[in-house]
Amino acid sequence: MTELIEPLKTPTAEPGTGMVQPGMSVSRVDGRAKVTGAARYAAEHPAADLAYGVVVNSTITKGRILGFDLADALRVPGVIDIITHSNRPRMRPFKLSYKDMTAPGGFPFRPLYDDVVFYSGQPIALVLAETFEAARHAATLVRPDYAVEPHETELAAHLHRAHDPHGLKAGFAPPPKEKGHAQAAFDAAPVKIEAEFHSGVEHHNPMELFASTVIREADGHLTIYDKTQSSQNSRWYVSHVFGLSSRKVTVRNPYVGGAFGSGLRPQYQLPLAVMAALKLKRSVRVVLTRQQMFTFGHRPETRQAIKLAAERDGTLVSIQHDAVAETSRREDYTEVVVNWSGQLYACDNIRLSYHLVDLDNYTPIDMRAPGAAHGVHALEIAMDELSYALQMDPLALRLKNYAEIDPTKNLPFSTKALRDCYTQGAARFGWDQRPAAPRSMRKGNEWVGWGMATGTWDAMQMFARASAVLHADGRLVVSSAATDIGTGTYTVMAMIAAASMGLPMERVTFQLGDSTLPVAPIEGGSSHVTTVGSAVEGACEKLQKRLLKLAKALPDSPFAKAKIDEVEFADGTLRLRARPEVRIELPQLLQHAGEARVEVKYLMLPDALKQRKYQRATHSAVFCEVHVDEDFGTVRVTRVVSAIAAGKIISAKTAHSQITGGVVWGISQALHEETLQDHRLGRFMNANFAEYHVAVNADIHDIEVIFVEEDDRVVSRLGAKGVGEIGLVGVAAAVSNAIYHATGRRIRDTPITPDKVIAA
Amino acid sequence: MNPFAYSAPTDTDAALVAIQTDFNDSMPNRFLAGGTNLVDLMKADVMHPARLVDVNGLPLDAISETADGGLQLGALARNADTAYHPWVRTRYPLLTAAILAGASPQIRNMASNGGNLLQRTRCHYFYDVGVPCNKRDPGSGCSAIGGVTRQHAILGASSHCIATHPSDLCVALAALGARVHVQSARGEREIEFADFHRLPGDTPQHDTTLAADELITQITLPAEAAAFAAHSVYLKLRDRASYAFALVSVAAALQLDDAGRITQARIALGGVAHKPWRKPDAEALLHGALPHDALFARVADALLEGAQGQGQNDFKITLAHRAIIRVLQSAVVGTLTNRDEGDASAEESLQ
Ligand SMILES: Cc1cc2nc3c(=O)[nH]c(=O)nc-3n(C[C@H](O)[C@H](O)[C@H](O)COP(=O)(O)OP(=O)(O)OC[C@H]3O[C@@H](n4cnc5c(N)ncnc54)[C@H](O)[C@@H]3O)c2cc1C
Ligand code: SF4
């Protein structure tokens, strides 16, 4: 990929940004485009002759569609067509054709494929009209006729159907085999606790609504602007479902207004928009409503039980952690809920289990820190409970059982500066001032409490390609089919390239968000910097070698004998390390060499052999203060200190924002978020932003983020590990533990709403 | 959303004619003010007016003094302008406090006083056109009973509907004894605030006693209610610190004599019933008494007499009881306007 893809409107750093180094704080390069509205999202790309599609969703939870009364809907002026399972264009029938790159085991949903309804809110028809308004009105007039079958959506009522998960999924590993004899050790131990935990369904609700704009060109080529965490995943899916060659489909996602995992898999608006474009032979846009954002993947409701036992001195002797989560009837969605409990603390007897119950819901999907958000939450509350049983400071208990190596895998950690997180976080928070007993601090009508928790998440690296093109005018364009879901990908990749090539950042552009760019993984799992960032740096290194070769070949070259480690790229020049005055400006170099541009391509493969020898993870220590009005059960999180060990921090400002956002989400998880399902109807009832509560500004007070020193060259050549998830993990547990310290009330059920506090 | 006719008359008489034009009972015409509730409900396919009569051009947005020294709030005065109006703040701080406890600054800037009175319930089932609801579709049944009922009524509900009225502003208006002035082509009338909203009974489709062609023109606050200005508090308990509807809210306004005796008391509850909940006999318990907690508890008992939960919302009874006591304790001490939303110092005086 050599030239800028014009419609991507790739953002570049503001003039004057200058030279950058990893670790610096740089304002995001896409900031101006976003706040001025210049950045276009999936639903905003214009197309001539656009038809608008509005989705009709099922009102039943399970059964069959007997037919539709479409007469009134079709009479609405402007309506073009209504697509249902009985008149849709051809789709492949095979299970494999619907498997996107992150599909779990099972048979993915095939939208509008047949008459079967398997969850409430399932798309059953697409109304197409000349205007959005006409389509939306007509959609309310579509009258399906159903044969209803009984459904089961209540996890608690169907625990007896719990089974082992089937099939594989990226990022999932089943629980390890039992280590030692966990129950026997528990029975024999002097101090023990056991507790049960529950966490409700949550929906991601990124700001940007799911949308696809399918632009059909005269030759039938489809350019699709899709809301997705991977243009290449959506491209792959569309090609497979509709049997379209990869050359006939381009997917773009230059700007994504948040996703949090909901865009890891193609959502139903994509195949619906494509089938409409194929059927009508014109461009089509389908945008979901906020209510429809509750009709696909969610964080699964999860029940957990934990047993911990220790010697009187706090030495852990047994950890047992069992989880049961919901999945759909079609797929076994899996996430790592319990494995963290075998990784965080040194212990000789560990037993972990994870089971699924199939319900008549849509398949869950990864949501920020999938599995860890609730699994580590439960473990960290249990550790807090154990600390009180031992009459030991909660932080001291964690330090007592600090895992120097991974206890279940017996592997060393690639790096682990968790101890620094504890020390620095505790110092900043003032943890040593904490009175040990609950109900020790009061202010006015509120009890005040301090709690802490540990967090952890995987440090992953996938493979990726990147290309780098240096133009004779001095611009560097680096490309990879990466995604920026608001995380700062544009910014950090441009920083890496600029720092590597010694160019001012405004001369560097990082292109992402197009399926035709060099292959990149789905943006997820906190791995984009370690993966794409390493590919970018690798491409730059290759470019440097190529440039040196050109320089050596110049007539009377002062670089003729220079080896690559004897030169450096700095201040926009290639120069000798030993004699920096011997230098050539890069544009000059290209001009002298007679090259309009120099291009390299690079494939970054993780060093699996080396990585396999280590447990690779990020860590955090979260400290928080809450104020609880016990009469009313209202909780205010007045102060949070989050100390993070996530390898080398490349882009300080966007990394800081990631962690702050994670803490906000953690508070939200602790206190607010839950989608409430009416199991008689099988429907999610609070499917809008007035009633699905996330933390608002008034809920958020002081948040302080500390990055401790870490540099991990096992995880990535950059030393980085990734910060997307870790900021969230442990926050809700710290809040829950602080509520206990404030009031003596232990709440093991999220969200901690006022009714639960007064009942505890 | 359905297609609709639209007009924007600039005088009240024209609006009253327009609302009757081609009136159709199954898709009744509606006035459009800030649109923050009506337009949402149209998008959700819950309300289907055949015609919208945009009243934003009518000269009904003033806040002025009435002849007897009370205050007249135009139906189209915005909630924010009302809350921050100096006369409202100084004479009826309870109203300021209630308004500022509601919605968000942006919504309060759009929302009109008339529209706030007529905002509809937030019952999840009312919003979900995929399920039966007596309020939306009379006779279809009430899906909420036995379902997700955290937010539903604990007082005055019926077997036909257990919805609550979600307004904060109305709770203060109920406590202050406001009057609603309405006009239609048939003439003008005044409605006591206590008679404006109604209990669901077997006709939950009617939220209020207003006729479909009647326009709210003004809301008046009696002069004597300004005597509560020194001792009034609005407390709203909700699932997050802002931008959530009340689980329970309490408006309390007191007058105290020099001996510290309560001479007059007004208490209204929000979030607990199909209308703001007031009980004069409970208020009367306070008249002539010295404030003390046991008395406040008796007042709370009296206000909540007959309260009945739906299971999931039983906690609201406890919450309401405690909130009544806390608010009375606080009102004895002084007044809170909730003006610094999210500001701990304002909250702390209540804590
Ligand atoms: C997310 C969200 C959160 C909210 N939170 C709160 C809250 O916490 N507390 C709270 O009190 N409110 C809250 N609100 C509700 C808000 O206060 C109301 O939507 C608003 O007051 C309605 O006023 P409006 O002018 O926008 O009315 P509209 O939406 O224009 O109209 C509402 C109804 O009133 C009728 N109407 C309007 N004016 C007149 C008139 N003069 N005469 C006759 N009929 C009339 C309309 O026909 C319509 O039926 C919230 C709203 C939203 C969207
Ligand atoms: S409580 Fe009222 S509004 Fe809610 S479903 Fe029942 S009838 Fe409808």
Side-chain angles (χ1 to χ4, degrees), chain A residues 74-95:
Chain A
L74 286 169
R75 259 197 295 275
V76 171
V79 167
I80 305 163
D81 196 358
I82 299 174
I83 304 184
T84 69
H85 66 275
S86 42
N87 66 353
R88 61 164 172 79
R90 214 185 77 79
M91 297 162 82
R92 285 183 168 162
F94 317 112
K95 162 162 130 181

Side-chain angles (χ1 to χ4, degrees), chain A residues 59 136-137 140 445-446 629 631-632 672 678 680 683 685 689 691 693-694 696 699 753-755 758, chain B residues 1-3 43 45 122 124-125 128 143 145-147 150-151 239-241 315 319 322 326 350-351:
Chain A
T59 53
R136 188 154 183 172
H137 173 48
T140 66
N445 286 312
E446 292 180 319
D629 190 317
D631 284 350
F632 305 144
H672 306 301
D678 183 323
R680 303 167 309 167
R683 285 172 88 72
M685 296 315 305
F689 263 174
E691 303 296 341
H693 294 152
V694 299
V696 295
D699 294 299
T753 44
D755 45 326
I758 62 175
Chain B
M1 186 181 270
N2 58 288
K43 287 191 194 166
D45 203 28
R122 292 281 161 173
H124 305 311
Y125 301 85
D128 182 351
S143 299
I145 295 172
R150 274 190 93 240
Q151 58 174 197
D239 283 327
R240 59 182 169 188
F315 71 97
L319 219 49
R322 293 172 180 178
R326 178 79 64 86
L350 184 62
Q351 283 155 9

Side-chain angles (χ1 to χ4, degrees), chain A residues 382-462:
Chain A
M383 284 294 283
D384 199 64
E385 298 190 40
L386 184 65
S387 76
Y388 286 95
L390 287 159
Q391 297 191 314
M392 195 169 173
D393 178 88
L395 176 55
L397 175 64
R398 276 134 175 123
L399 287 167
K400 174 89 188 163
N401 294 287
Y402 195 85
E404 301 292 352
I405 62 162
D406 180 299
T408 41
K409 293 192 181 151
N410 273 319
L411 290 176
F413 289 93
S414 55
T415 53
K416 181 179 175 183
L418 175 58
R419 214 184 282 279
D420 297 336
C421 296
Y422 288 139
T423 327
Q424 293 180 31
R428 190 72 58 90
F429 187 83
W431 185 255
D432 60 348
Q433 302 296 306
R434 176 180 179 272
R439 301 181 83 82
S440 299
M441 298 190 281
R442 197 173 162 93
K443 217 177 152 203
N445 286 312
E446 292 180 319
W447 291 102
V448 179
W450 292 358
M452 60 87 52
T454 314
T456 186
W457 181 252
D458 292 336
M460 292 185 249
Q461 190 184 41
M462 333 262 181

